[in-house]
Each structure stands twice: as structure tokens, then as C-alpha cells.
Amino acid sequence: MSVVKTFNKYRNLLVELVKKDIKLKYRNSYLGVIWTMLEPLLTMVVLTLVFSKLLGKGTQDFPVYILTGRLVYSFFSNGTKAALRAVRANASMIKKVYVPKYMYPFASVLSGYVIFLISLVVLAIVAVVRGVYPTLQLFWMIVPLLQILLITTGVGMLLATMAVFFRDVEYLWGVALMLIMYTSAIFYQVESVISEKNAWIFKLNPLYAVIENFRNAVFGQPMNFQAMGYATVFGVVSLLIGVFVFYKKQDKFILYL
Amino acid sequence: MSEKTMVSVRDLGVKFHLSEQKVDNLKEYIIRIIKRQMRYKEFWALREVSFEVKQGERVAILGLNGAGKSTMLKVIAGVLKATEGSVKRSGVLVPLLELGAGFDPQYTGAENIYLYGAMLGYSKAFLKEKYDEIVAFSELGDFIHVPVKNYSSGMRARLGFSIATLVEPDILILDEVLSVGDAKFRAKSEKRIKEMFSKGTTVLFVSHNLAQVRSLCTRAIWLEKGHVVEDGPVAEVAEHFEATITKG
């Protein structure tokens, strides 16, 4: 059966898996899906308090700055972590029913993406409250939004494959995520912290490239096309590698689960 | 009955690596590669197995524990990949391997109908249409809105059976599942399976219950240590198989 035909047959499963992830995440909590918006809002309040009140930095629109960075980073972080666990978490099903295996990590990433998109509502509200009004530049937002999905899916597939064979990938990835977080300029301005000659660290981090243009779209600034090109290339390449490695190794999964 | 080949197995071999110590962390793996200590014991669960199953045949797979019966069903079901040789099949295949294995314990029975149904490749519209039928057949009543983690194993199996047998499959794979639920449900599930038999469904059946095998199947394949020992009419093969096991 061709790939497209198989995908069509199991499209319903993908929808069901995404629904399941979201439903179960908020089951038994009073506020339910509202947490998707409340949680980033509360983190933003904490970070704003710490960095603007205690450290005396930041301006009127600093909360918007923090929120843009944090939303993108936390989707990437949660999405890759969930994908990493997806194959192992569904081991009992993989052993008994034939289903295209990429459905599991892909569904984990997609459910995180849906939550991410819902939480953009918070960003819109905070932006207006803080006096950051939409401009025509906002339409550019679609580019970083697609890039981060590509990158997360690609990296997630690669991690999911590796995690089947080596359990310590999960811990190593936790450390890597920390490094990525601190070089993504989520709660500080790059210029204020890093000297000119260390700026290459940020140029290398694809997540920073995505966040930078996401911010440019929100704040009505011109796009950084160099960063946009880098993030696109990184996204496409990581997706190709992730999918390739996953397909090469997927028949062996069952022997290691 | 037509002579259409439903399942065709050619020189099938399935190899497992039994590493002497399980290496599942990166550090250990790298150390072993450097010291050249990655040793595997190779183990063929199935080797040089060939047979064909025609439409309407009901084939029992006999053998002691570890003979390769379940491995063979898994390969035919598509869960496990053959190391060598090929397996071809045509038509809709429904595996009744472990009933309710695809359930999410936190989900209610009703939600699991849609989830498990989707795993078997059914569309949402189809499942909606059949929803009442599934609930009625499973006899779960109001329990359908309770999370599956609170089900008894019998209730789980009943729901699994009701979903899996929704469509009339061309090939049905049964692995020791005809003993689910209480006596009442067992009678009902046997009736449903016999109905499928009469419609010409091809069946692959694994059971240690020889009486059941004799009454349900037309043909038997006897496996031992991954090889076919005998393949023929059920009465003969079952008799020879029984003779060896009673001899000890």
C-alpha cells in the first residue's frame, strides 16, 4: 500500500490520538482546557516580576516579549519530550495491532501544537493590554509558526527512534533543552546580555531564529530574512533526517520494546 | 468454495537477537563497541516456513509453548516483520490477539470504542453508526461511561471482542480468545464466530484446546521449534500431535 493510502486509512486514528492527548491532559482538573492559557500567563507574570521588578530591567511591553519567547520554547520542549516517549508509551499497542508507527510521535507533536495555538489567545490579549497593537507585519507570523512545527516534528521523530534503543536519551535531551532555553533569549534581550563576539551562539540556535521572527511579527518589526532562511533549512533538514531514521529503524522497534 | 489464496507464506524466517546482557543505555553500548563486546545470540523463532491458505479454510496452528505460533500470527497480522521470506495476504484482516490491548485505561469504554476502532482502521462515521450495536453486544450497559481501568478483565475482553468483530473480515486471526467472559458471553461470541465461518471467512486459529481445534478447524499446521512438522487435515495432524505430547 502506498504511503498516502495508508495515511488516509489511519487519518481518523491521528485525530483520535490528538484528541486523547488533549482530553486526558486536562481531565479531572476543574478549569480544564483553560489551563492552556492560564499556565503561560502565570509563568509570564512570574518571569516579569523577577526580571523587571527585581532586576530592574524591561519596559512596558516586556511581558509580551517574554510570552512570545516562552510560548514557542515550551511548545518545542513539550512537543519533543512527548514525541520522545511516544513509541515506548504505546508499546503495548505497537505489539498487538498494526498501525503506521509514526502516528504515535506525530500525534504527540500535533496535540502540543493545538495547545500552543490555543494559548496564542493569551498572547493576543496581553499584547493589546500592554499596548502592542497588530500591524500588517503580523501576517508574517505564519512563517515562524510553520517552521517550529517542522523543527519539532523532525527532532521529535529522531528522538523517538533513539529513545527506543537507548533509555538515557531522555535525560540527555533534558540537558540539551536547558542549553537551548538559555540561548533562546526568552527572558532577556540579546544585546543586553551577550557581547558582540558571542552572538554566534544565538545564530546557531534554530529556536532563537524562530523566536526572533515571531517577535518581529508581533511587534511590527521588519523580518530578519537570514534567520528565516536558516530556520527553514534547519526545519526541512531535521524533518528529512527524522523521518529517514524513523523509517529505517521502525521494524526493529518491536524487538526492543 | 473458491480457490482464492488468502494468505501465502514463503520461506518465512524470523530472527531475534538475544543479547546476553540487555544493553539499553548509550554509555554501555559505546563501551562495548570500543571493546568489541557486542555479542548477540541469534535465535530463529521461525525458519523455512511455507504454506498457503485458501479462502474458507480454517487452519489451526498447533505446537507447544515456544514453537513459534504467536510469532507466526504476529507476522501475518503485520505487527512483526519477517527477517527473510515473504508473507502475502489479501482482504480485510481482523486480529483477535489480545482483546482490549489497544485500550487506554483512563478513557471510558465509549471513548475507547472510537480510539480502538480507529486503530483497526475504521472511519469515525462508521463507528458512530455502529456504536449502539457495539454497546448492546458487549452488554456493558451504563459501565460504558466508566474509565476502562475500572473494568474487570472479562468486561474489557467483551468490549474488545465487540469492536473487533464489527466488520466481517476476510481473514480472522484467533489467538486463544474463544474463552473470554462468562459462560453466557462465551456462547454468544462463539455464535458470532461460527456465523463468520459459515460466510466463508478464512481463519487462523491458535489454541491448546485440541477438542476445540477439532470441532472448529478443517486443517492443521504443526510447528516445532520454528519448523513445520506436519501440515494436513485436522484429524490426522491433531492425532499425531497428541500422540507425541502424551508420549512425553
Side-chain angles (χ1 to χ4, degrees), chain A residues 202-232:
Chain A
F202 291 89
K203 292 220 168 79
L204 238 92
N205 180 356
L207 216 58
Y208 177 65
V210 174
I211 291 175
E212 193 186 357
N213 276 327
F214 186 58
R215 277 182 182 143
N216 288 339
V218 171
F219 285 98
Q221 304 288 322
M223 291 285 121
N224 178 343
F225 288 102
Q226 202 190 340
M228 191 183 281
Y230 177 58
T232 306

Side-chain angles (χ1 to χ4, degrees), chain A residues 91-159:
Chain A
S92 68
M93 299 180 208
I94 289 174
K95 282 182 191 167
K96 264 128 212 163
V97 189
Y98 170 77
V99 155
K101 294 182 190 66
Y102 67 85
M103 288 282 168
Y104 297 111
F106 192 42
S108 311
V109 172
L110 279 188
S111 64
Y113 198 60
V114 172
I115 291 174
F116 168 56
L117 292 183
I118 295 174
S119 61
L120 290 184
V121 175
V122 178
L123 179 64
I125 295 169
V126 173
V128 171
V129 170
R130 283 294 174 154
V132 179
Y133 299 110
T135 62
L136 272 180
Q137 284 294 102
L138 196 62
F139 287 107
W140 278 109
M141 195 161 89
I142 188 110
V143 177
L145 285 185
L146 286 176
Q147 285 170 341
I148 194 65
L149 181 62
L150 275 185
I151 295 174
T152 310
T153 310
V155 175
M157 296 283 256
L158 184 65
L159 289 170

